[in-house]
Amino acid sequence: MLTPTRARSSERNLRNATLADLATRLDSQQQRKVDVVAPASAIRAQGGMLVVDQAERRITAEGVTSVAGTYEPTGVCESGIADKLGVPLPYLRRMRAEAPHLYDANVNEWLGRDGRRFLVRALSAEDGGTGQARAFLSNGYKIIDNFDVLTAVLDGVRQAGVQVDIASCDLSDQRMYVRLTAPEIRGYAPYLLRNYRSPYSGRTGAENPTVFAGLLISNSETGCGSLSMTPQLTVQICDNGMPMTRDVVRAVHLGAKLDEGRVEWSDDTQRKTLAVYTAQARDTVRRFLDRDYVEANIREIERTSGAPVADVEETIKSVSKTLRFTEEQRKGVFDHFIRGGDLTAGGVLHAVTSYAQTVQDPDDAHELEAQGIRAMELAAA
């Protein structure tokens, strides 16, 4: 039986990356960002691409001029176009892939009938060619950039005076995820881990039942969710993460209507915005990176975790159906359940969070991990 391996970064996504890798990618994106609020009349589809008038700036002999920008839509951007224009997303994607002329005709027809303004979030091309349209949003969307979130959160952690490690960083077209652990703030879960063996290290929970405090920081720049800070417990022997989703702290992306034109913030606005997120991160760290909080949540989990699982296959099938896991995910969870050797509801929790580490797509992986405790509760019912 092969030992499972944790997912690694792909060319497009970052998965289990270092803080340095994430900072480099975010800095590159920050330099290339084009955020423009434009009326529907200034946006058009051409050859399956999205063209936005006066989105880009060019330096010529006459000075700096504004020119149209041409961008290839990401899947997230296509979802936004479909939602805003009322076009079924599968049909929109099929047209763009198989009949770009129909895609252009449909998008341009509905844009031509629309009197609203939209926020297009894009990245200019590094070589001056076709850029990337990342999101198609309402002009009431409040921009909270990943780079600013990362800066503010790390400053807030510093102000809170808690020593943390950056356990992993993930980035997709939809979201950024930064997982912090605080090894000095720990608890012990001997009952939860007494029968568990890590499929990665082979170490047993009976030998080392240590659980660390931590936080999962998540943000979307493209309309796929709020800025959130979720307390998380991490098992030392396997890095299985258990997010306490009921205690999540959120900041939603809703604000005043943005003015037409390129979106550019003053230094004063940036400082004030960062100060708010820094204070929120500081207060969240002080609230959740706390030994009493860790111990209380371990005891609560352990009240459910010991329920025996008699029919393993049927239990995993039922849990997977309720939580809408794919067939591939169901098989992966089942495999990790067997490898873990813990035939209890707690073993289902371990299986879900362990398998999530092998999933390449960052969004799928974190969505699975967030279901771990719920999966345990269903298995125990």
Side-chain angles (χ1 to χ4, degrees), residues 174-296:
Q174 295 186 44
R175 299 188 72 93
M176 172 187 76
Y177 308 88
V178 179
R179 185 177 167 197
L180 312 178
T181 58
E184 295 180 1
I185 302 172
R186 62 181 66 187
Y188 298 95
Y191 187 68
L192 172 64
L193 296 169
R194 70 193 189 282
N195 297 318
Y196 182 61
R197 178 182 297 275
S198 167
Y200 301 109
S201 68
R203 298 170 63 191
T204 67
E207 297 168 351
N208 180 9
T210 305
V211 176
F212 297 142
L215 279 178
L216 177 63
I217 312 301
S218 180
N219 183 58
S220 176
E221 296 183 333
T222 54
C224 298
S226 60
L227 161 60
S228 65
M229 289 176 272
T230 307
Q232 184 173 47
L233 306 182
T234 300
V235 179
Q236 185 178 22
I237 63 168
C238 55
D239 287 335
N240 290 353
M242 296 177 282
M244 304 292 107
T245 54
R246 67 184 180 193
D247 290 330
V248 63
V249 176
R250 302 183 189 277
V252 298
H253 291 258
L254 293 175
K257 297 289 185 181
L258 295 169
D259 294 332
E260 190 173 315
R262 284 179 64 107
V263 179
E264 296 175 314
W265 306 112
S266 68
D267 290 342
D268 181 58
T269 298
Q270 286 288 80
R271 281 193 299 270
K272 290 178 180 177
T273 300
L274 288 177
V276 171
Y277 302 142
T278 297
Q280 190 175 38
R282 180 196 64 219
D283 294 344
T284 301
V285 166
R286 289 174 176 170
R287 178 183 173 190
F288 295 126
L289 298 193
D290 174 81
R291 187 167 284 102
D292 289 341
Y293 179 84
V294 173
E295 291 285 357

Side-chain angles (χ1 to χ4, degrees), residues 80-91:
I81 293 170
D83 177 64
K84 295 294 183 290
L85 301 184
V87 179
L89 180 58
Y91 179 56

Side-chain angles (χ1 to χ4, degrees), residues 37 151 170 230 248 270-271 324 357:
V37 175
T151 301
D170 298 330
T230 307
V248 63
Q270 286 288 80
R271 281 193 299 270
R324 298 184 179 181
Q357 295 183 61

Side-chain angles (χ1 to χ4, degrees), residues 11 13 17-18 26 34 65 70 91 106 141 170 175 178 180 215 232 238 246 282 339 354-355 378:
E11 184 176 346
N13 291 332
T18 65
L26 294 182
V34 178
T65 58
T70 300
Y91 179 56
N106 276 264
Y141 181 81
D170 298 330
R175 299 188 72 93
V178 179
L180 312 178
L215 279 178
Q232 184 173 47
C238 55
R246 67 184 180 193
R282 180 196 64 219
R339 292 174 187 271
S354 173
Y355 169 67
L378 289 169

Side-chain angles (χ1 to χ4, degrees), residues 83-154:
D83 177 64
K84 295 294 183 290
L85 301 184
V87 179
L89 180 58
Y91 179 56
L92 190 72
R93 286 179 171 165
R94 182 180 178 188
M95 286 190 295
R96 186 164 177 270
E98 300 178 16
H101 65 287
L102 287 179
Y103 176 89
D104 294 350
N106 276 264
V107 171
N108 292 336
E109 174 67 24
W110 295 113
L111 282 172
R113 299 185 181 198
D114 204 309
R116 292 174 293 174
R117 293 180 175 85
F118 299 102
L119 168 63
V120 179
R121 305 211 72 188
L123 296 175
S124 61
E126 294 179 292
D127 58 3
T130 301
Q132 181 186 91
R134 309 167 64 220
F136 192 85
L137 302 159
S138 158
N139 66 331
Y141 181 81
K142 182 180 180 181
I143 294 174
I144 304 177
D145 280 337
N146 290 333
F147 195 88
D148 295 336
V149 167
L150 187 60
T151 301
V153 166
L154 294 180

